[in-house]
Amino acid sequence: MTLFHERWRRRVSLLAAGVLEGAEREATLHHLDACAGCREEQAAVENVLRLVAADPLHREAPTLPVSALIARVEARLDAGPQAQPAQPALNWRPVLVPLAAAAAVVLGVTATLFRTELPGAGGGPIPPTVAVAPSRFDSEQIEVSDDVLRRLERNLAREQTARYLNEAQDLLVTVAASLPICDRAAHRVDVSDEARRSRELLARRSLVDLGSDDVASVRPVLQDVEQVLREVAALDPCVRPADLTAIQREMEQSRLLMKIDLMTRELLG
Amino acid sequence: MGRLAQGDREALAPLMERHSQRIYRIALSYLRKPDDAKDAVQETFVKAFQHAARWDRSAEVGPWLTRIAVNHSIDLYRRGRRRLQSEEPLAEGDHDQRVSTGDPSPERRVIGGQIGDRIGAALRALPEKQRAVFVLRHYEELSLEEIARTLDLSLGTVKSSLHRATQGLRVRLQGLRA
């Protein structure tokens, strides 16, 4: 799609959203008559908006009893500025203390794992137990079983992989959706940031897949991501939109973004 | 609002009666969790009371409250995301069952998935400004001018954000048909 059509794309998107008016609306409708690509664009955007209109959230009747709200706001004001809505005193949600305690243990163990080299990363055996010494209780030691350590290792691998995929997805969405213009006269778009970020992600790729079976099912998606990142990394900083077409088509045909989305959600539970 | 600015708490009740449902809908559209949305409504009115003196008398109350609600929803969402990252390591059994089975292609699972979940995930992935603009337009049906006034953005920025948000959703929802 040329920059000329990038402008129409924006108008078509706004037309479908029902916010284009006057001469701009007329011009867009007129252009649509003669532009098959723009009609495809219009259909795609309308599909998105139909999906959003079908979102069950629209049908959920907001039921917020005002009397209860007033009481809570009064209580919150009485409690003073330091009180936060998510705190237990206000009872919107169950207390998360057990989770916080568990998280503290997890963080402590994770920090220890990093200090003592991550088991599995170097192929070495996992020690039978690890003594974790939280700084507040120097005299006490928490014994951590093999099982817990393996679980932590697995969780760490999944979280690292999910984070990596998330970052890659953000980058690829930009490549697929819209990019800033770097040379209006020559009809070129700026991909310097995307290329740089792709190189950074490729450099970090080896840190993600630790050879663990726990992320084995993600490996094909990671390989596809790596392939596209290589192509983006190899781009010149200022390219013609047509130069991106092959990459965009490849992503669309492999449904890469959808796969990343699914894998990330699975990894994070 | 004048009474509120003077610290009259009784003025809060009529304000809440008039605006709370709309604020709740906006917060729910943004956060997609009823409990979080209730927190956001509560804090919106707490902040409205605490900052009533700063309210510009020439401005409408609705957009002012909406802006507080959107800003607070963004804060709440960020906090929630950090909490999720730090407090919720995966349960052991979960992953073994769902990732390592080798079953179903992602496409197959999507077809059986819930539209709401997919839209929620796609919206969550948008940058905050784009998401706020999109929600106010397509869930609250505000005009572009109202959105610009509410979020204190230029009309051009609102148009760009709406377009980019739509394109972002289009990419993330590809393969899903209405």
Side-chain angles (χ1 to χ4, degrees), chain A:
Chain A
M1 189 171 276
T2 63
L3 278 189
F4 172 74
H5 273 95
E6 184 56 37
R7 277 198 296 276
W8 284 112
R9 193 182 190 195
R10 183 173 183 264
R11 289 180 182 178
V12 165
S13 172
L14 296 174
L15 178 75
V19 294
L20 211 57
E21 293 171 339
E24 208 174 15
R25 182 173 187 277
E26 291 306 313
T28 307
L29 287 170
H30 184 70
H31 179 79
L32 274 170
D33 284 340
C35 174
C38 297
R39 286 198 295 277
E40 276 176 31
E41 176 72 19
Q42 184 185 28
V45 171
E46 284 175 350
N47 180 58
V48 169
L49 298 182
R50 272 196 301 275
L51 286 168
V52 170
D55 185 352
L57 204 67
H58 286 292
R59 294 192 292 276
E60 280 183 27
T63 49
L64 185 64
V66 177
S67 55
L69 175 66
I70 292 170
R72 288 182 188 282
V73 171
E74 289 281 349
R76 171 74 174 80
L77 287 169
D78 287 339
Q82 73 281 11
Q84 291 299 312
Q87 287 180 343
L90 294 165
N91 289 329
W92 281 121
R93 278 195 291 265
V95 181
L96 294 174
V97 171
L99 270 180
V105 173
V106 168
L107 286 172
V109 173
T110 308
T112 305
L113 286 175
F114 274 118
R115 278 200 303 273
T116 58
E117 290 184 15
L118 192 65
I126 298 170
T129 58
V130 171
V132 179
S135 57
R136 283 181 61 197
F137 304 105
D138 286 343
S139 59
E140 293 180 28
Q141 292 193 333
I142 300 169
E143 295 297 316
V144 180
S145 69
D146 284 3
D147 184 49
V148 171
L149 271 179
R150 286 197 188 93
R151 186 165 10 140
L152 286 165
E153 187 187 354
R154 251 199 311 263
N155 287 345
L156 194 64
R158 287 177 212 151
E159 285 170 15
Q160 280 178 332
T161 309
R163 204 172 296 128
Y164 184 86
L165 284 173
N166 250 330
E167 286 180 44
Q169 189 183 35
D170 284 344
L171 167 69
L172 297 178
V173 164
T174 313
V175 172
S178 50
L179 289 157
I181 294 164
C182 55
D183 187 340
R184 191 173 293 278
H187 289 193
R188 286 174 181 265
V189 290
D190 184 357
V191 290
S192 55
D193 192 42
E194 285 68 27
R196 179 186 55 76
R197 285 163 59 200
S198 295
R199 286 192 288 274
E200 284 172 5
L201 281 168
L202 286 167
R204 282 169 45 205
R205 169 69 176 85
S206 59
L207 299 174
V208 173
D209 188 353
L210 303 172
S212 156
D213 288 341
D214 303 306
V215 291
S217 60
V218 189
R219 225 164 270 146
V221 178
L222 275 173
Q223 282 165 358
D224 289 348
V225 167
E226 197 176 351
Q227 172 63 28
V228 176
L229 288 178
R230 279 208 192 91
E231 290 167 23
V232 177
L235 289 169
D236 289 332
C238 195
V239 298
R240 290 172 303 143
D243 296 335
L244 296 171
T245 307
I247 297 175
Q248 289 165 343
R249 193 178 300 130
E250 184 182 342
M251 285 165 57
E252 199 164 335
Q253 281 170 354
S254 64
R255 300 187 172 189
L256 186 56
L257 292 167
M258 185 177 68
K259 287 178 184 171
I260 294 175
D261 205 26
L262 282 164
M263 283 301 168
T264 308
R265 287 165 66 192
E266 286 198 355
L267 285 166
L268 292 174

Side-chain angles (χ1 to χ4, degrees), chain B residues 2 5 27 47 50 60 78 81 90 96 107 111 117 132 156 168-169 172:
Chain B
K47 283 184 180 166
Q50 289 170 339
E60 290 176 64
R78 284 178 185 162
R81 195 169 49 182
L90 295 164
D96 293 339
E107 285 83 355
I111 292 165
D117 287 348
L169 290 177
R172 286 170 194 273

